[in-house]
Amino acid sequence: MIQVTKNVYVENGMMACNLGMLVTREGVVLIDTPMQPTNAVKWRREAEKKGEIKYLINTEEHPDHWQGSYFFPGVLITSQNTRARLEKTPAAEVMETVKHIDPPGLPLMKDYKVRLADIAVEESLTIYLGNHTVKLFRLPGHSAGGMGVYLPEEKVVFTSDVVFHKKKTWLQEADPGAWLESLKKLNELHINVVVPGHGDVCQKDYFKEQGDIVKKWADAVQKTMKQGLTADQAAAKIVSPDPYPKQEGTPMTETELHKTIVSHLYRYYSG
Ligand SMILES: [Zn+2]
């Protein structure tokens, strides 16, 4: 765990996304949860040392961000999109994943349930806790349910998976146009610290590079479509415009992820 400002901590050594903690004088706000039950329990204990866990935020609908919510107390907040998707996710699916990624955590899964948001955000929501403000706002592009978390007093933003800092960007459900708009929105915030969904903490100067990676993927796929190639042919032809390696411990091989991105963007641009 690293301390990024006076009251904000980030853990980036637990599978798989970055975890955030805001400590206020009236309690703790947690941002995203570990995938592995054993880590979830550890992270909860760390948080409880700093105060009572008041709010828990899942910034998007992919399992690495919400799977561990069951192990935490506090009011759970997600976007409406995320809540709707989780309603359709069976607990058995999570069980199956845990068998592979955390066998020692299985005994903790006995009564596991997919935790659904107590409060669902349509566009934006502001929480006031202690001397702190927590601003949640829709941040689509990587996924429909993405949500940013801005802490103005700390000058920190949690971007969810709209930013993969120097890790391969996942565009498996991407809406590239919305993604670029979200980066623009982030760039307008008064911030010194950017906590990406994956990769080390960075600064807002990385938004441009992140946007270029998304743009180049979109251009490359549209170009092959104009040439009349099929999605498979395009996947074979396109050289990934992303210079960074896939984060370790995430599903799929580099090749599988490459194909998944191309076939998603093919479907997306074919309407
Ligand atoms: Zn994601």
Side-chain angles (χ1 to χ4, degrees):
M1 181 171 77
I2 57 163
Q3 183 171 11
V4 297
T5 63
K6 190 161 178 264
N7 299 294
V8 177
Y9 299 83
V10 171
E11 170 60 63
N12 79 349
M14 288 183 182
M15 183 192 277
C17 67
N18 287 328
L19 309 169
M21 188 195 311
L22 166 69
V23 180
T24 81
R25 61 173 193 200
E26 284 176 17
V28 171
V29 180
L30 293 180
I31 298 143
D32 289 328
T33 60
M35 281 188 98
Q36 294 162 306
T38 49
N39 272 337
V41 171
K42 263 186 228 160
W43 184 235
R44 185 184 71 212
R45 287 201 193 110
E46 284 298 317
E48 282 170 344
K49 283 182 203 161
K50 308 272 186 198
E52 185 191 342
I53 299 169
K54 289 281 176 75
Y55 295 100
L56 179 64
I57 298 162
N58 297 152
T59 62
E60 61 134 313
E61 64 269 53
H62 296 141
D64 51 330
H65 297 257
W66 59 261
Q67 189 166 291
S69 297
Y70 169 76
F71 299 100
F72 293 84
V75 175
L76 178 62
I77 309 173
T78 75
S79 68
Q80 184 65 59
N81 274 313
T82 295
R83 195 183 196 284
R85 183 137 155 204
L86 266 55
E87 270 178 357
K88 293 184 219 131
T89 306
E93 215 168 87
V94 180
M95 249 350 168
E96 221 20 65
T97 310
V98 171
K99 271 185 207 161
H100 293 105
I101 63 169
D102 189 22
L106 278 174
L108 298 166
M109 296 289 287
K110 222 164 42 92
D111 301 314
Y112 182 85
K113 282 184 191 67
V114 172
R115 226 188 128 184
L116 298 178
D118 302 301
I119 298 174
V121 181
E122 291 280 358
E123 283 300 323
S124 63
L125 175 80
T126 305
I127 302 169
Y128 298 95
L129 185 65
N131 286 338
H132 280 89
T133 318
V134 180
K135 287 179 171 285
L136 308 179
F137 55 99
R138 243 170 69 75
L139 209 56
H142 164 76
S143 69
M147 201 166 66
V149 182
Y150 174 42
L151 309 174
E153 288 85 5
E154 303 288 326
K155 297 192 173 66
V156 175
V157 71
F158 288 79
T159 67
S160 193
D161 288 4
V162 161
V163 181
F164 285 77
H165 181 225
K166 300 193 175 182
K167 298 285 176 198
K168 180 151 284 179
T169 300
W170 285 59
L171 296 95
Q172 82 279 23
E173 293 175 15
D175 173 339
W179 198 317
L180 298 175
E181 281 305 311
S182 286
L183 286 167
K184 226 185 262 171
K185 207 189 284 178
L186 287 169
N187 203 37
E188 285 162 11
L189 300 174
H190 193 46
I191 41 175
N192 295 328
V193 178
V194 173
V195 184
H198 298 267
D200 289 338
V201 169
C202 58
Q203 275 159 3
K204 70 200 289 192
D205 60 354
Y206 190 71
F207 293 156
K208 168 145 188 355
E209 188 173 353
Q210 178 65 76
D212 285 346
I213 291 170
V214 172
K215 241 184 274 168
K216 282 179 189 165
W217 266 117
D219 291 348
V221 167
Q222 285 172 294
K223 197 173 149 198
T224 54
M225 287 176 83
K226 272 189 206 132
Q227 291 166 347
L229 301 190
T230 65
D232 283 346
Q233 290 167 333
K237 186 171 181 189
I238 292 170
V239 177
S240 168
D242 189 332
Y244 299 112
K246 198 170 79 69
Q247 185 184 349
E248 279 176 41
T250 48
M252 296 200 236
T253 62
E254 291 266 0
T255 315
E256 285 164 348
L257 179 55
H258 181 85
K259 278 188 190 159
T260 303
I261 291 172
V262 173
S263 68
H264 165 70
L265 291 174
Y266 243 73
R267 260 179 282 128
Y268 178 83
Y269 285 113
S270 326

